[in-house]
């Protein structure tokens, strides 16, 4: 029987392998393929998103946060990295750190009124949990 190693010769093939591993819940395998993908493109937004999600699923929250922050460094105008950061901080109940992703998502979702309202409510509730009642109220004043 011939040993057929996965094809990681191109960025596209690596990303396909990452997606397949993620869909099967094979997060460690996905991280391995993400590393191979970064050999082709060290600043690929989507690869950092995959790393963030896979690491989150593995409970590797520091690695997940780092990957999402690298994605933000690549493109701060896309929402996936900000959503990932918010997911981490919500999971960890770190209200202080949740504020910035919430503010950025609010800034980026001005055209989606329903999403904007949901994020406004979440930001106000986060401020309230932090005991910052003025900031909570100001969410509704804007």
């Amino acid at each position: 029987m011939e040993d057929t190693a996965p094809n990681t010769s191109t960025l596209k093939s690596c990303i396909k392998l990452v997606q397949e591993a993620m869909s099967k819940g094979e997060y460690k395998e996905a991280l391995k393929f993400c590393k191979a993908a970064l050999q082709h493109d060290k600043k690929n937004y989507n690869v950092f998103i995959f790393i963030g999600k896979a690491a989150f699923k593995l409970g590797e929250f520091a690695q997940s946060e780092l990957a999402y922050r690298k994605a933000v460094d690549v493109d701060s105008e896309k929402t996936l990295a900000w959503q990932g950061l918010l997911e981490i901080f919500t999971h960890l109940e770190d209200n202080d750190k949740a504020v910035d992703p919430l503010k950025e998502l609010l800034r980026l979702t001005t055209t989606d009124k329903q999403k904007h309202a949901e994020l406004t409510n979440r930001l106000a509730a986060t401020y309230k949990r932090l005991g910052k009642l003025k900031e909570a109220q100001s969410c509704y004043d804007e």
Side-chain angles (χ1 to χ4, degrees):
M1 191 161 160
E2 193 176 313
D3 181 27
T4 55
N7 177 12
T8 58
S9 64
T10 67
L11 176 62
K12 187 176 179 179
S13 64
C14 289
I15 290 177
K16 185 176 180 192
L17 291 166
V18 170
Q19 291 170 322
E20 289 172 6
M22 293 288 288
S23 70
K24 295 176 188 174
E26 297 171 353
Y27 303 114
K28 285 185 180 181
E29 196 72 7
L31 288 174
K32 183 176 85 173
F33 294 130
C34 286
K35 187 175 179 182
L38 289 175
Q39 296 299 313
H40 298 284
D41 181 356
K42 292 186 185 335
K43 293 188 178 202
N44 187 288
Y45 181 88
N46 291 324
V47 173
F48 289 128
I49 296 299
F50 284 126
I51 293 169
K53 192 60 162 177
F56 180 84
K57 292 289 191 178
L58 292 168
E60 300 288 339
F61 302 118
Q63 181 182 5
S64 181
E65 180 180 353
L66 180 62
Y68 285 131
R69 291 203 182 278
K70 286 182 177 182
V72 166
D73 289 343
V74 171
D75 190 344
S76 63
E77 298 301 305
K78 291 183 180 177
T79 60
L80 284 177
W82 293 113
Q83 290 168 345
L85 288 168
L86 181 57
E87 181 180 34
I88 295 167
F89 304 142
T90 300
H91 178 79
L92 298 175
E93 298 180 4
D94 190 336
N95 292 309
D96 280 321
K97 284 188 169 183
V99 169
D100 284 339
L102 280 166
K103 284 180 173 180
E104 288 300 320
L105 287 166
L106 271 169
R107 181 181 67 79
L108 295 169
T109 59
T110 55
T111 57
D112 183 340
K113 298 300 179 196
Q114 183 177 348
K115 185 72 171 168
H116 196 77
E118 290 170 14
L119 289 166
T120 298
N121 289 337
R122 281 185 76 178
L123 181 58
T126 300
Y127 277 136
K128 189 175 177 185
R129 283 191 297 276
L130 291 168
K132 297 181 176 182
L133 300 182
K134 282 185 180 180
E135 287 89 340
Q137 182 58 46
S138 72
C139 290
Y140 298 110
D141 295 340
E142 294 176 1

